[in-house]
């Protein structure tokens, strides 16, 4: 029987990507299957901290409310790191354009506009950047420290958005070895080369080797 993996996301697209990479020995569920599970505020200072926070909160909620002790609980957090900005937007990627009067996540378009503004005047070789993804994997029903997997995708920030695919900073991010942005390259290329795919491959190797 397939091992259950509950993913701390309501994003069906992310869940499909994870299910495809894990394969048929694992059966993924998401927060859509547990609509009463509370949303966890990402208050940690690192991607790994937020991923662990989300995974352990869901382990706790599933145990208390669903008597769920089977398989794994998985949570991820990701972000963009730009060298010329000392690693910003980093853990604040989803709310980069937020102001004091407007906390919380901000629209992709505003985040992208802020990024271009902050990088204006920077030459190509100063626009190196990478997407990072951290996945926390915890045993359902147990409160132990989760296993952490890191994924990375190197590239650079171009000067104007290109392409309609993907989300977030994809139209501005040109992955290493490509002339097009993730926004232009589309899902099939991205799902093989992304930071999430890198972390997921490590996670799968770990699960299979156990
Ligand atoms: P999350 O933790 O996966 O929800 O990602 C946090 C933020 O990082 C998103 O809101 C995006 O702004 C950015 N981000 C993460 N992954 C990607 C990606 O694959 N493409 C573009 N932006 C991303």
């Amino acid at each position: 029987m397939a091992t259950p993996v509950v993913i701390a996301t309501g994003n069906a697209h992310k869940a499909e990507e994870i299910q495809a990479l894990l394969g048929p020995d694992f059966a993924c569920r998401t927060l859509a299957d547990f609509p009463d599970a509370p949303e966890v505020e990402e208050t940690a200072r690192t991607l790994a901290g937020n991923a662990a926070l989300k995974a352990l909160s869901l382990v706790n909620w599933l145990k208390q409310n669903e008597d769920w002790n089977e398989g794994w609980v998985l949570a991820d957090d990701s972000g963009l790191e730009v060298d010329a900005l000392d690693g910003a937007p980093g853990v604040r990627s989803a709310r980069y354009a937020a102001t004091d009067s407007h906390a919380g996540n901000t629209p992709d378009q505003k985040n992208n506009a802020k990024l271009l503004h902050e990088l204006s005047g920077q030459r190509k070789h100063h626009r190196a950047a990478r997407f990072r993804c951290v996945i926390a994997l915890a045993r359902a029903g147990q409160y132990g420290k989760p296993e952490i997997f890191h994924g990375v995708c190197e590239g650079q920030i171009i000067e104007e958005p290109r392409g309609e695919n993907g989300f977030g900073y994809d139209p501005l991010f040109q992955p290493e070895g490509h002339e097009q942005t993730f926004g232009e390259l589309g899902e099939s290329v991205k799902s093989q080369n992304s930071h999430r795919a890198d972390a997921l491959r490590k996670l799968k190797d770990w699960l299979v080797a156990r």
Side-chain angles (χ1 to χ4, degrees):
M1 210 180 70
T3 305
V5 178
V6 186
I7 310 170
T9 184
N11 181 334
H13 174 77
K14 230 184 218 183
E16 276 168 30
E17 203 177 306
I18 294 173
Q19 178 71 70
L21 257 136
L22 291 182
D25 291 342
F26 298 90
C28 292
R29 291 166 179 249
T30 67
L31 296 183
D33 299 303
F34 302 99
D36 294 334
E39 198 161 306
V40 176
E41 237 190 294
E42 301 186 1
T43 51
R45 286 198 316 248
T46 61
L47 298 177
N50 280 331
L53 195 65
K54 287 190 275 186
L56 293 179
S57 301
L58 186 54
V59 166
N60 195 17
W61 187 89
L62 287 168
K63 193 173 168 67
Q64 304 288 334
N65 295 276
E66 303 279 336
D67 197 23
W68 186 279
N69 299 301
E70 219 193 319
W72 299 96
V73 173
L74 182 160
D76 79 324
D77 198 24
S78 41
L80 177 73
E81 194 178 274
V82 182
D83 286 352
L85 303 177
D86 293 329
V91 73
R92 301 191 72 254
S93 292
R95 51 183 190 282
Y96 189 41
T99 57
D100 287 346
S101 58
H102 175 102
N105 290 0
T106 38
D108 290 343
Q109 232 182 339
K110 287 200 168 163
N111 293 334
N112 286 352
K114 177 169 179 184
L115 181 62
L116 286 181
H117 177 74
E118 297 290 330
L119 283 176
S120 59
Q122 295 279 6
R123 295 286 244 309
K124 191 175 169 180
H125 58 282
H126 283 141
R127 299 175 80 101
R130 67 206 54 77
F131 279 123
R132 284 194 190 278
C133 171
V134 180
I135 297 180
L137 186 73
R139 266 247 177 245
Q142 294 179 17
Y143 295 118
K145 214 168 149 223
E147 205 65 39
I148 299 287
F149 302 90
H150 294 263
V152 68
C153 176
E154 296 285 344
Q156 60 161 310
I157 302 301
I158 60 161
E159 292 185 23
E160 277 177 10
R162 292 199 318 244
E164 305 291 328
N165 297 304
F167 71 102
Y169 300 94
D170 280 345
L172 292 178
F173 186 82
Q174 186 177 311
E176 228 169 57
H178 293 269
E179 291 301 317
Q180 294 172 299
T181 65
F182 267 154
E184 294 170 300
L185 286 164
E187 209 42 53
S188 58
V189 176
K190 188 176 171 191
S191 63
Q192 291 303 312
N193 295 282
S194 77
H195 45 312
R196 226 174 331 276
D198 188 29
L200 277 169
R201 275 191 283 265
K202 291 172 187 166
L203 179 150
K204 186 175 184 192
D205 288 349
W206 184 87
L207 278 174
V208 168
R210 292 183 83 253

